[in-house]
Amino acid sequence: ATKKGEEEEAARIAGEAAAAALKAEKAKEEEAARKLEAELEEARQKVELATKIREEEAERQRLLAEAAKSQKAEAAKGRKAKLREDQTEKKCELKVKRLKELVADFPGSEVCRTLKELQAGDRSSVPLVVKVVSVLERPGEVPVIVICCDSSGDFFALSFYNAELQKLGQAVVPMKTLLSVSQASFRQVTVSGPGGKKLSYSSVAVANPADAVILSGGSAGSTGSSLALATGRSMVYSTGAENRSAENE
C-alpha cells in the first residue's frame, strides 16, 4: 500500500510538472504571438507612415508644380499686359504726335474759329478753319462728307451739299489741306449703332461750296480757290440744305 501510494504521488507530481510545462510552453507561445503581432502592427504603421509621407510629398510636388505654372502664367500675362500697355502708350504718343502735326500749320486764333466757338455761336464774323483728314467714299450720296479737325484738335464731319465727291476729292489732300469755312451750321447727329445703341457725332453743314476756301495744302493751283470752283460745278445754293435730315449722313 505504501508503494502504491508513492507511485500515485509520483504520478501526480509528474502530471503537475507536465501540466506546468505545458502551461509554460503555452504562455511562451502566446508571448511569441503577441510579440509577432506587435511587430506586425509596428511594420503596418511604418508602411502607413511611409505611404502617407509619399502621398504628402506627391501633393507638395503637385502644389509646387501648380504654383510654378500659375506664376509662369501670371508672369506671361503680366508681360502681355505690359506689352499692350507699352503698345498703347506708343500708339497714344504717335496719335498725340500726329495730332500736333495736324494742327501745327493753323493760322493764329484771331483769324481761326474753332468747332466749340461755332457750336456756342461765338465770333460769328471769324471763319471756321479746318484741316482735311479724309474724304468719305460715298459715291452718288448727298451730302459729301469730309472728316476734319479744327485748331483745337476736335474732330467732326464737314458735310458739303451741291458738290461732287470725285472733284472735291481731287481738290483737297487729306492730312494737308486747310479750309476756311464761312456760313457753317453746327449740329449734333445721332444715329443707331449695333444693338440699338445711340451714337452721336458733331457735324458742320456747308450748303454753299463757295463758302469753303482752300487756304493751303490743296491740289496744284487750287490754293485760294473756293470748293465751288475746285469742284468745277455751277453753284446752286440750297436754303434748305442746312436743315436736311441727318439720315442722309
Side-chain angles (χ1 to χ4, degrees):
T2 301
K3 185 177 180 180
K4 185 178 179 180
E6 290 176 352
E7 289 176 352
E8 289 177 353
E9 181 64 20
R12 184 186 65 77
I13 292 172
E16 288 179 354
L22 182 61
K23 185 177 181 180
E25 184 66 24
K26 185 177 180 181
K28 186 177 180 180
E29 290 177 353
E30 289 176 351
E31 179 63 23
R34 284 195 296 271
K35 185 177 180 181
L36 178 60
E37 185 178 353
E39 290 176 351
L40 290 174
E41 178 63 20
E42 183 179 359
R44 184 184 65 79
Q45 290 179 356
K46 288 181 178 179
V47 170
E48 288 181 352
L49 179 61
T51 301
K52 185 177 181 180
I53 291 174
R54 285 196 300 271
E55 290 176 349
E56 289 178 349
E57 179 63 19
E59 179 66 12
R60 188 178 72 86
Q61 292 296 333
R62 185 186 67 80
L63 292 175
L64 287 175
E66 287 185 355
K69 184 178 180 181
S70 178
Q71 289 177 354
K72 186 176 180 181
E74 286 296 324
K77 185 178 179 180
R79 288 194 297 270
K80 288 181 180 179
K82 184 65 168 59
L83 179 61
R84 285 195 298 270
E85 182 180 344
D86 292 343
Q87 290 175 340
T88 301
E89 185 176 349
K90 288 179 180 179
K91 286 180 180 179
C92 290
E93 289 176 356
L94 289 174
K95 288 180 180 179
V96 171
K97 182 179 179 181
R98 190 59 172 161
L99 182 58
K100 288 181 179 179
E101 292 175 355
L102 280 175
V103 301
D105 56 348
F106 274 77
S109 59
E110 65 279 0
V111 293
C112 185
R113 195 182 190 190
T114 65
L115 179 69
K116 289 181 179 178
E117 289 175 331
L118 174 65
Q119 182 179 6
D122 298 336
R123 301 206 302 162
S124 58
S125 61
V126 179
L128 173 69
V129 178
V130 304
K131 171 68 68 71
V132 173
V133 177
S134 66
V135 179
L136 298 188
E137 291 294 332
R138 291 160 28 102
E141 294 189 43
V142 177
V144 175
I145 298 178
V146 180
I147 304 302
C148 299
C149 74
D150 66 4
S151 60
S152 298
D154 290 329
F155 288 80
F156 55 93
L158 190 62
S159 302
F160 287 97
Y161 296 88
N162 304 314
E164 292 182 7
L165 172 63
Q166 183 178 1
K167 292 183 178 180
L168 189 146
Q170 292 172 349
V172 300
V173 180
M175 313 302 285
K176 291 185 178 181
T177 301
L178 274 177
L179 298 176
S180 174
V181 184
S182 58
Q183 303 301 320
S185 176
F186 176 88
R187 61 188 174 189
Q188 196 72 19
V189 179
T190 300
V191 295
S192 295
K197 183 178 180 180
K198 296 297 182 181
L199 304 173
S200 63
Y201 64 92
S202 298
S203 175
V204 175
V206 181
N208 185 352
D211 291 332
V213 176
I214 298 175
L215 295 180
S216 64
S219 59
S222 64
T223 299
S225 301
S226 73
L227 287 183
L229 179 61
T231 55
R233 290 176 59 90
S234 58
M235 189 276 294
V236 179
Y237 181 73
S238 172
T239 56
E242 295 181 2
N243 298 318
R244 291 190 185 187
S245 170
E247 293 178 358
N248 289 333
E249 299 188 17

